[in-house]
Amino acid sequence: MSRSAHPAGPRHADVLPEGHYTAPAEDLNALDPKVWAHTVGRDADGVVTVGGIAVTQLAEEYGTPAYVLDEADFRDRARAWRTAFGADADVFYAGKAFLSRAVVRWLHEEGLNLDVCSGGELATALSAGMPAERIAFHGNNKSPEEIERAVRAGVGRIVLDSFQEIVRVAHVAQTLGKRQRVQIRITVGVEAHTHEFIATAHEDQKFGIPLAGGQAAEAVRRALQLDGLEVIGIHSHIGSQIFDMSGFEVAAHRVVGLLKDIRDEHGVELPEIDLGGGLGIAYTSDDDPREPHEIAKALTEIVTRECEAARLATPRISVEPGRAIVGPTAFTLYEVGTVKPLDGLRTYVSVDGGMSDNIRTALYDAEYSVALASRTSDAEPMLVRVVGKHCESGDIVVKDAFLPGDLAPGDLIAVPATGAYCRSMASNYNHVLRPPVVAVRDGEARVIVRRETEEDLLRLDVG
Ligand code: LLP
């Protein structure tokens, strides 16, 4: 394949030619606001700053690698979602994207609700003061203990994911003398245009109860008969990192179809519908995500239209964005350890983290961008692959990107849009210690999740 066939640069690994690449047209020192948190910029010396603090200072104080989170940006995005959906809808932040007690407090203050999917997330939410009634509890295999804790705590809703769970939750609630508000998660049979591992509404997968074949209707039938349950609605989550609203359109159409069938069969109009999360963000300049107000408008219109056609009162809508709120708010700051040019191929840039702090590239073929952060440079661009320090050749952080040709050990580089599913999916592979999350706001930085230590590792290893 010729160089000129791909003037836009090496975004797509499958079309990478052997040899050299056309250099990117964009200025390597520029920071595309699409992929960086709002307060990110460069100071007079060319050092990247966030919340008014230079990354060199952050690296000195907190070390690298570190996730650096822009608190103002987080709050802005959370508020934008809240405002876009208004008082007649609920926004549940999906805690799986990234959860910490500080985040729970910010969400609480900004008026968002919280979706948790494990006892650990529930404990974090409760310990930081999120009112239980604003928590939704998810999961395809909640343990009896988790169910009991959630019901005892009084969570606002449990999202039921199987026939067994309908009975289990009803039993626990009844034993505790409670009536638990529940939604039933269904799969609507939509193929979301996203990576196979993060698509969740086609039928051949572990989540939800299929609409097809009448299973979802049967689940509702059973749940309505159980005294321990108050069925408040239907839940559908079609997948993640989705840009195309047509999947939501089909999902809403089918969920409303089920609501209509329920009304016709049971004389009950369920008051709520949850359309899940999954809205995409920009990882590179090639991605064009929609704004929350556009998404809110589109979803509300779809549901209203479908309900009018079915002669149903429009139910209260809820959504569960995780990535779209926290994803763009953070970047990962690394120090370059080695720079290894491979003739005719590319230059491997090794950083002090890797797949243990960002598994997404290895797991989903995710694309990221990267910038030299501790200075600017006018050197010629070079094609790089940013790799980690793990004993595995698939340990790739950024598959293909350009960095200045004078990049050297000791430089700091930053990978934007790592706020979602990086710290939350981080591991201790190779006994590498998980990085801290440093929140920055108005010229002040504070650690909200501290760096792991060797003592932490050894404490778990009881010999
Ligand atoms: N609601 C439900 C029921 C979910 O299962 C998820 C994500 C969300 C909301 C939030 O989705 P978001 O808006 O963050 O896309 N580890 C993968 C993503 C897995 C998502 C799992 N469920 C990744 O790194 O892309």
Side-chain angles (χ1 to χ4, degrees):
M1 206 165 280
S2 78
R3 294 167 55 175
S4 56
H6 296 289
R11 291 288 185 220
H12 305 287
D14 53 342
V15 296
L16 283 179
E18 297 294 316
H20 301 283
Y21 297 91
T22 310
E26 71 263 27
D27 171 9
L28 288 189
N29 298 317
L31 302 167
D32 183 349
K34 263 208 286 189
V35 298
W36 294 91
H38 293 153
T39 73
V40 171
R42 286 190 191 270
D43 66 15
D45 298 325
V47 179
V48 168
T49 63
V50 53
I53 306 189
V55 293
T56 40
Q57 187 186 331
L58 292 171
E60 213 172 285
E61 260 171 63
Y62 305 105
T64 55
Y67 303 103
V68 182
L69 197 159
D70 181 344
E71 179 183 339
D73 189 37
F74 184 101
R75 287 178 180 271
D76 286 349
R77 288 178 201 272
R79 204 175 308 129
W81 277 85
R82 186 76 211 89
T83 311
F85 278 87
D88 296 333
D90 297 300
V91 180
F92 286 76
Y93 168 79
K96 64 208 83 184
F98 172 63
L99 198 65
S100 77
R101 286 193 273 200
V103 162
V104 173
R105 283 190 285 268
W106 300 339
L107 292 166
H108 190 188
E109 285 165 19
E110 300 299 341
L112 276 76
N113 296 356
L114 179 60
D115 142 12
V116 300
C117 67
S118 70
E121 288 186 357
L122 179 62
T124 305
L126 293 173
S127 81
M130 180 59 87
E133 64 272 16
R134 281 171 51 191
I135 298 176
F137 192 48
H138 272 274
N140 68 301
N141 187 18
K142 307 168 188 78
S143 72
E145 295 76 24
E146 286 174 326
I147 292 172
E148 192 180 326
R149 276 165 67 193
V151 175
R152 266 189 202 284
V155 298
R157 61 175 71 157
I158 295 182
V159 182
L160 301 174
D161 200 274
S162 66
F163 282 93
Q164 286 93 345
E165 211 171 70
I166 292 171
V167 178
R168 283 179 198 155
V169 173
H171 177 73
V172 170
Q174 218 171 1
T175 310
L176 295 174
K178 293 193 166 202
R179 194 145 185 258
Q180 178 62 49
R181 287 159 56 87
V182 296
Q183 289 190 336
I184 296 176
R185 179 164 174 178
I186 67 167
T187 46
V188 293
V190 174
E191 291 284 344
H193 297 285
T194 187
H195 191 281
E196 178 196 355
F197 292 175
I198 53 176
T200 55
H202 53 296
E203 275 128 17
D204 186 3
Q205 50 117 354
K206 69 170 188 166
F207 289 111
I209 300 174
L211 190 60
Q215 287 200 57
E218 178 58 19
V220 173
R221 208 169 283 137
R222 292 195 199 172
L224 284 173
Q225 285 167 4
L226 296 170
D227 290 338
L229 305 182
E230 179 188 350
V231 185
I232 59 165
I234 301 296
H235 184 286
S236 157
H237 170 77
I238 60 173
S240 276
Q241 188 57 2
I242 296 167
F243 293 103
D244 177 2
M245 296 300 285
S246 63
F248 288 98
E249 183 138 13
V250 178
H253 173 73
R254 295 187 184 164
V255 169
V256 172
L258 177 61
L259 292 182
K260 179 174 174 294
D261 291 347
I262 294 167
R263 192 252 337 256
D264 293 347
E265 183 181 340
H266 306 282
V268 176
E269 287 199 21
L270 298 185
E272 294 193 20
I273 130 174
D274 191 309
L275 293 171
L279 285 314
I281 62 163
Y283 284 102
T284 74
S285 299
D286 293 343
D287 296 324
D288 286 306
R290 297 208 187 187
E291 294 294 325
H293 68 265
E294 295 175 283
I295 295 161
K297 186 164 178 281
L299 292 182
T300 310
E301 276 174 11
I302 296 166
V303 173
T304 308
R305 193 182 61 226
E306 293 294 331
C307 287
E308 272 168 13
R311 297 182 189 288
L312 284 167
T314 307
R316 189 174 177 86
I317 299 172
S318 50
V319 286
E320 299 170 339
R323 183 190 326 259
I325 292 177
V326 73
T329 66
F331 59 81
T332 313
L333 189 63
Y334 298 103
E335 184 178 311
V336 173
T338 68
V339 178
K340 189 187 287 183
L342 297 184
D343 277 350
L345 289 171
R346 71 186 91 239
T347 297
Y348 278 79
V349 174
S350 294
V351 294
D352 46 359
M355 65 194 297
S356 56
D357 61 68
N358 187 351
I359 189 66
R360 298 195 67 261
T361 308
L363 193 55
Y364 312 120
D365 237 351
E367 292 187 3
Y368 282 92
S369 12
V370 59
L372 173 56
S374 46
R375 62 185 173 94
T376 51
S377 165
D378 295 328
E380 282 296 302
M382 67 175 170
L383 179 68
V384 301
R385 178 161 287 178
V386 179
V387 296
K389 60 183 279 142
H390 295 277
C391 291
E392 182 151 334
S393 55
D395 171 24
I396 298 169
V397 180
V398 185
K399 211 166 175 186
D400 300 292
F402 284 96
L403 280 172
D406 62 352
L407 190 78
D411 279 333
L412 298 176
I413 61 174
V415 175
T418 58
Y421 303 108
C422 287
R423 179 58 179 80
S424 65
M425 293 176 84
S427 76
N428 287 124
Y429 184 39
N430 297 145
H431 284 203
V432 168
L433 306 166
R434 287 179 292 178
V437 182
V438 180
V440 179
R441 185 185 178 186
D442 297 333
E444 279 180 31
R446 69 188 169 110
V447 174
I448 59 170
V449 179
R450 74 160 166 78
R451 184 183 301 285
E452 223 161 16
T453 62
E454 285 176 5
E455 291 75 61
D456 290 328
L457 287 186
L458 293 172
R459 203 173 299 139
L460 296 179
D461 182 339
V462 291

